Each structure stands twice: as structure tokens, then as C-alpha cells.
Amino acid sequence: MNSKGIPSMKRSLLPLVMLMLAMQGCMNQNIIEENDPAQIDEGNVKEQIEIWHTYSDEETRIFEKEVIPLFEEEFPDIDVKPVRQPHNEQLMSALISRASVNRTPDIIRMDITWLPKFADLKLLYPVSEFEDFDEVKERFYRPPLESNRYGEDYYGLPLNTNTKAAIFNKDTVEDLGLDQLPHTMDELLDVVEENQLTIGINDVSPWNSLPYFYGLGGKLLSPQYTQAAGYLDSKESIAAVERLVQLYENGNFPAEILKGYPQTWEKIRTGGYFMIDEGPWFYSVHSLLDIEVLKRQTVSAPFPSNEVYTSVLGGENAVITKGSQHREASWTFIKWLTTETPQKLLLTAGVLPTNTEVEMSSIVEQYPYYESYIESIDKTFLRPPVPQWNEINSIYTEYFRLMFSGELSAEEGLKKAAEEIDELLIHREDEEE
């Protein structure tokens, strides 16, 4: 031990230790000490939100490569993580399961028919609680906005919308010498029956048959969506189904609607069908060259109806999950998604805007096949926004198959369907009580 009390071995190590400490300080000179707030750079702190979506390939490319970067440029403090998911019932089950352990994403792009179930299970945050909601909601077409309402609250914003237009074979229209396309259901069926033509529908599910059922005066549920008896089995509904079955038996609907895919897209182009009803994707999924061919082969118009409404409303809503820890950032993002610029970007992939402020004249000029859809948005009808919709959809489809096949009369089939649907609705009311 030397005169200063430091062992000679330790004294010999001091220069090496000092050198190592100095090197470590140089290597870590950008590390900020947590207990030194003066050095924290708030500008580098980002809040990350995660959105699950079901966009198609081209829609995903635009959403992830163009839309999100534009948002992050405008809101540099928010980082958006997109996760593409398949659109199927497994996704619904997975989301419900994850919600039970609080592992949902912050935002979900959700089919409009799913929202009532998720809201009923209390898995969504009511966006109508945000202070500026009343101001934001004024930008939307009414039917897409109302698809977000459950009870007294709104649980999302309408991100994109769609409906079905009537698409006619142009050669057949010209051969018949029609001065104008059928505007009402009566006009359509008169032309079809007089000339023994065929309307191509894919099947008898609500998405495909409700526009015809409603157009002929049929009813599904009460105005408050609480009861089927007295509506689905009413005289008007029975008459509507009998007319539809008669059309099917006469060959005015394809036999394949009960057996398999009736090739609607192919046969409307070749003249095998006089008319089909289809969404804007009938045109938008094709190449520009093929779209030009389609425009020479077909002509579209709003779906003919005897009612105020034309065809069924489709689309997706952007919702914020109840378990999100980033509600304000999520609200900022979904509000922005419904503004003009992102809505116009996604329109190029066939995603129709919900924002009434989006200039439609330029859109129709560039994409004339959208005109019939845009004209129809304000006249669409919602499928009943109830949590039991999936089950009601199955009951309706099954009994329509039985009635079309002749196994049940319209009166028998609708009465049984109404009874089964009411069991679902009444059971739900009992649970709530």
C-alpha cells in the first residue's frame, strides 16, 4: 500500500477505468437521461395509433402509400400503423375475442352491418361524445352517417359508401327502342315480362333481393326495428314475394340463384341478361381499356323502385375501440380521413366518398360510370341496424330459398321467418331488461 492508502494494483487500473468511462461517454453522447427534463426533445415523441382495415390490393396501396404519409406529414406527432385483414366472419370473432382482453387496435374500418353488434357489446367508443362531433357530422350524406347510429349515440364516421345501380345491356336497350331506362319497378317488370327478358341477380340474400322486395312494397321489420310480425308477413310482403316467385318461375330471374353463381358480370356484357344490379366495383376493378369496352356494352341508371328509396346501402365506417389509449389521436385521424383530399385519393380505386363537400361534377366527368351511384346515395336504405343482423340475414335467406323453390308458399314462409326473427329480437329485449 502506498503513502496515499491506495493499493498499487488498483492504482495501476485507474487510468484504464478512466479511459473506458470516457469512451462510453462519447459513444452514448445522444442518450437523454430520464431525470434531466431539460434535455427531452418533445418534437421527437410520436403517438402511435393502429388501424385494422380490409381494403383491396389497389385500395391498400393508395391508403398505405399515399393517404397515411399525407396525414403523417400534416400531423407529425401521430404515427399510423395500418394492418390489413381479410373481410370475413373470422375477423369479427377475432376482434370480439381480443376486446375481452383489451387487445384491440385503436381504429377499425368496419362494415356498416357490424357496427350495431360491436356497439351493443360496448366495444366501441361513442364518437358523438367528442366536442366537435356535431360540427363534423354535417359534412356527410345522411344515410351513411346514420349507419353509425346505435341508440342515441354515434359510434363512428362513414369512411366510404356504396350502393347498387341498375346496369343494362346497351344493345338490348337499343333493340327494344326504349326512349328512357325504366325508372320504377313497375316499368322495369313490364318491359321484362312483355319481352321475356331476364334480370340477373346473384342469389336471394337480403343484399341481392331486398331492393326488389322493398321495391314491390315488401316490409322486413317495424320502423323501430323491434318486430317482424305484422311487417314481414303482411299482405304487402306476401304479394311482393308472390310476384318475385312468379318472375323466377317464368324465367325472368335466373335458375342459378338457387343453385350457384349465375355469371351476372359475363352475361350482362353478352346480352344474356337485360339488367343486373351491382356496385361501382363492376367498373372500377377493371383496367381503363376494359372500362371503355364496358361503357360500350352497358348503360347504368339508379335502381328502379316504386318507393322513395332506391337500393341498399353498403360501405364501411371508421370506429374507435373502447379500449384505445389514444382516443384523441384516433379521432384526429378518422376525422381527417373523411375530408376531401383523402376521399378523392381513394375514389381513384372505386371507393365512393361520404363527404358532401367533395366536388362530384369533376368526378363524374373523369369517371362517368359513377354518376348513377352518386345520384342514389341520398336515396338508399339501411339494412336493419340491429345486433342480430347476421342471424336475421340467415333466416331471411333460408326462407326465401324455400319459397322460391316451392317448398313453402309465400304466406307460410314469411310467417315462419317472422316468428323466428321475433324470437331473436324479443330474446334480446329480455336480456336488456
Side-chain angles (χ1 to χ4, degrees), residues 7 58 62 74 88 115 133 155 173 177 192 203 209 218 238 263 282 289 380 402 405:
E58 178 60 13
I62 295 172
E74 189 171 339
N88 51 36
L115 186 143
F133 174 77
Y155 288 87
V173 170
V192 166
D203 55 44
S209 66
I238 292 170
Q263 298 181 319
F282 174 77
L289 181 62
T380 54
L402 292 171
S405 66

Side-chain angles (χ1 to χ4, degrees), residues 179-209:
D179 295 329
Q180 61 180 11
L181 297 173
H183 178 69
T184 67
M185 182 63 65
D186 288 338
E187 290 173 358
L188 171 65
L189 297 184
D190 284 346
V191 172
V192 166
E193 291 177 318
E194 287 174 9
N195 298 279
Q196 195 49 40
L197 302 171
T198 303
I199 299 172
I201 64 174
N202 284 315
D203 55 44
V204 295
S205 68
W207 173 253
N208 289 303
S209 66

Side-chain angles (χ1 to χ4, degrees), residues 170 283 290-299 368-369:
K170 186 177 285 188
Y283 295 99
D290 201 29
I291 287 175
E292 290 303 313
V293 176
L294 279 170
K295 286 159 61 178
R296 293 195 296 270
Q297 296 171 330
T298 65
V299 57
Y369 47 87

Side-chain angles (χ1 to χ4, degrees), residues 109-392:
R109 177 181 178 258
M110 176 178 291
D111 189 283
I112 62 172
T113 61
W114 289 15
L115 186 143
K117 186 176 186 69
F118 279 77
D120 184 66
L121 292 172
K122 304 188 186 310
L123 303 180
L124 305 180
Y125 181 76
V127 299
S128 46
E129 292 191 6
F130 287 108
E131 290 184 1
D132 57 345
F133 174 77
D134 285 340
E135 177 185 351
V136 172
K137 75 175 184 179
E138 294 303 317
R139 69 179 59 153
F140 301 111
Y141 290 101
R142 183 58 53 181
L145 173 66
E146 289 306 302
S147 72
N148 289 275
R149 183 201 289 268
Y150 184 70
E152 298 299 317
D153 294 311
Y154 290 84
Y155 288 87
L157 296 181
L159 198 52
N160 53 271
T161 190
N162 62 65
T163 187
K164 303 173 84 175
I167 301 171
F168 297 87
N169 178 270
K170 186 177 285 188
D171 287 342
T172 306
V173 170
E174 293 175 355
D175 290 343
L176 292 172
L178 297 178
D179 295 329
Q180 61 180 11
L181 297 173
H183 178 69
T184 67
M185 182 63 65
D186 288 338
E187 290 173 358
L188 171 65
L189 297 184
D190 284 346
V191 172
V192 166
E193 291 177 318
E194 287 174 9
N195 298 279
Q196 195 49 40
L197 302 171
T198 303
I199 299 172
I201 64 174
N202 284 315
D203 55 44
V204 295
S205 68
W207 173 253
N208 289 303
S209 66
L210 269 182
Y212 299 91
F213 179 59
Y214 281 176
L216 289 170
K219 300 177 177 64
L220 182 52
L221 297 181
S222 63
Q224 294 76 32
Y225 309 114
T226 57
Q227 183 176 334
Y231 297 90
L232 183 56
D233 57 357
S234 66
K235 291 181 179 179
E236 295 84 357
S237 294
I238 292 170
V241 169
E242 287 176 342
R243 185 77 188 278
L244 293 174
V245 171
Q246 182 183 29
L247 289 163
Y248 172 70
E249 291 175 346
N250 291 344
N252 301 122
F253 287 141
E256 292 88 346
I257 62 174
L258 298 182
K259 301 176 182 177
Y261 178 61
Q263 298 181 319
T264 52
W265 286 25
E266 295 85 346
K267 290 187 178 180
I268 194 63
R269 301 181 69 165
T270 62
Y273 295 149
F274 170 57
M275 191 202 91
I276 65 171
D277 61 297
E278 191 57 278
W281 44 83
F282 174 77
Y283 295 99
S284 63
V285 299
H286 292 93
S287 67
L288 293 176
L289 181 62
D290 201 29
I291 287 175
E292 290 303 313
V293 176
L294 279 170
K295 286 159 61 178
R296 293 195 296 270
Q297 296 171 330
T298 65
V299 57
S300 66
F303 186 82
S305 177
N306 293 342
E307 300 294 318
V308 176
Y309 300 110
T310 55
S311 192
V312 61
L313 180 74
E316 281 78 24
N317 297 325
V319 302
I320 299 173
T321 59
K322 193 71 171 286
S324 172
Q325 301 300 308
H326 310 282
R327 289 176 182 170
E328 290 293 340
S330 297
W331 177 235
T332 298
F333 184 49
I334 68 173
K335 281 191 301 182
W336 182 86
L337 284 176
T338 63
T339 58
E340 292 183 61
T341 298
Q343 294 242 309
K344 283 183 176 179
L345 283 172
L346 283 163
L347 178 62
T348 61
V351 180
L352 292 182
T354 56
N355 189 327
T356 60
E357 297 168 5
V358 175
E359 179 53 54
M360 292 301 190
S361 58
S362 59
I363 293 170
V364 171
E365 184 177 347
Q366 187 174 1
Y367 309 101
Y369 47 87
Y370 284 143
E371 184 172 10
S372 299
Y373 300 97
I374 293 169
E375 286 181 16
S376 303
I377 292 173
D378 258 343
K379 300 175 183 178
T380 54
F381 62 81
L382 284 169
R383 284 159 286 178
V386 295
Q388 307 92 332
W389 173 246
N390 279 354
E391 295 89 341
I392 292 173

